[in-house]
Amino acid sequence: MRKPIIAGNWKMYKTIGEAVELVKALLVGLESGRDREVLVCPPFTALYAVRPLLVGTAISLGAQDLHHEAQGAYTGAIAPGMLTDVGCSYVIIGHSERRQYFGETDASVNKKIGAALGVGLKPIVCVGEVKAERDAGQAEAVVGGQLAGGLAGLSPEQMLKLVIAYEPVWAIGTGDTATPADAQMMHAFIRSRLHAQFGAEVAEAVRIQYGGSVKPDNVDELMAQPDIDGALVGGAALKADSFLRIVHFH
Ligand code: PGA
């Protein structure tokens, strides 16, 4: 059985003070004894302040991006070892906003996955088509291409450390969620591609999150789909009550 994983992607929101406040509220409201993994991905500047609050709790810490080199003259970039140093165990790689606005490609995603695994960070690798691609019937071809390029050269053992996030770009921040049936269809497709590349055992074990306008009122139906193993949540992760309701999906 795959353990559900709910992650909050805070994007470029929250000062240090706001981040600390949100994490404290999450810790107060989090129900114990539920068999699910919970993760927050604050902006880089808040990681150091948030980390001590999370040590020994049920919430893990993740970052939103990394550079693939261990160190060097890369102004503005953050090295993999810096993320483990500040207490991150996960890192989001290839988010559509990185692809759209910051030149992220399947090749750079592939390098970053290798760099993250090299220091023991677990990558959450994002894939997803834009609206025009879906309308043209190209959604599976696009996602299949992103998987092939991003996951190239990984061993089955390495693949087991990854989480995949299917995030249709047209659903991100728009309130326009994929229907549970459409999301399920793409998740099953992604799992079939994992099967083809890494074998049945890996395909069964790897968790595939859905992302794109996940909200308290649609999370239950999404999570009820057999191949949806979690959620990557943007807007609804910025407030404690809505994120907690998503974490506590039925
Ligand atoms: P959203 O963002 O929940 O605000 O649509 C999801 C994401 O970009 O990870």
Side-chain angles (χ1 to χ4, degrees):
M1 275 309 285
R2 299 181 291 269
K3 188 175 189 176
I5 176 167
I6 308 291
N9 171 16
W10 295 4
K11 308 193 180 186
M12 199 171 73
Y13 293 98
K14 305 292 178 190
T15 61
I16 293 171
E18 290 164 350
V20 164
E21 204 177 308
L22 176 53
V23 158
K24 283 183 176 164
L26 292 177
L27 289 169
V28 167
L30 194 66
E31 294 172 10
S32 60
R34 300 230 194 186
D35 193 24
R36 56 199 61 178
E37 216 174 323
V38 184
L39 168 72
V40 292
C41 303
F44 291 126
T45 48
L47 293 171
Y48 184 73
V50 155
R51 196 260 169 121
L53 300 172
L54 297 180
V55 173
T57 74
I59 302 180
S60 303
L61 190 60
Q64 300 174 17
D65 185 36
L66 82 174
H67 193 279
H68 67 270
E69 293 287 353
Q71 57 179 25
Y74 299 102
T75 301
I78 302 287
M82 294 171 179
L83 296 181
T84 51
D85 187 40
V86 77
C88 289
S89 49
Y90 283 92
V91 60
I92 298 170
I93 297 177
H95 190 280
S96 66
E97 286 148 17
R98 301 298 314 176
R99 294 178 189 258
Q100 245 180 310
Y101 307 130
F102 300 96
E104 191 84 85
T105 63
D106 295 330
S108 62
V109 166
N110 186 254
K111 277 191 201 166
K112 288 180 178 190
I113 292 171
L117 291 172
V119 297
L121 283 168
K122 289 171 271 191
I124 296 179
V125 179
C126 302
V127 295
E129 81 285 355
V130 301
K131 181 83 166 68
E133 293 163 341
R134 173 153 290 258
D135 291 346
Q138 295 297 309
E140 287 191 353
V142 167
V143 169
Q146 291 170 339
L147 290 171
L151 306 180
L154 291 181
S155 69
E157 293 70 35
Q158 288 178 312
M159 187 62 219
L160 284 171
K161 304 211 164 67
L162 270 60
V163 173
I164 302 291
Y166 170 56
E167 297 206 307
V169 178
W170 46 271
I172 295 177
T174 58
D176 196 10
T177 325
T179 65
D182 281 349
Q184 163 59 27
M185 214 183 294
M186 183 61 88
H187 281 231
F189 169 75
I190 292 170
R191 205 174 299 287
S192 75
R193 296 306 293 257
L194 296 178
H195 189 150
Q197 189 175 347
F198 301 101
E201 207 178 309
V202 172
E204 274 311 302
V206 169
R207 292 171 298 179
I208 306 173
Q209 293 178 312
Y210 170 79
S213 298
V214 176
K215 302 270 186 291
D217 64 7
N218 60 25
V219 66
D220 297 338
E221 215 187 337
L222 287 162
M223 289 304 297
Q225 305 300 313
D227 288 292
I228 299 184
D229 309 312
L232 182 53
V233 187
L238 296 174
K239 288 205 171 106
D241 56 351
S242 57
F243 189 61
L244 284 167
R245 173 60 186 86
I246 290 169
V247 164
H248 297 144
F249 72 87
H250 306 302

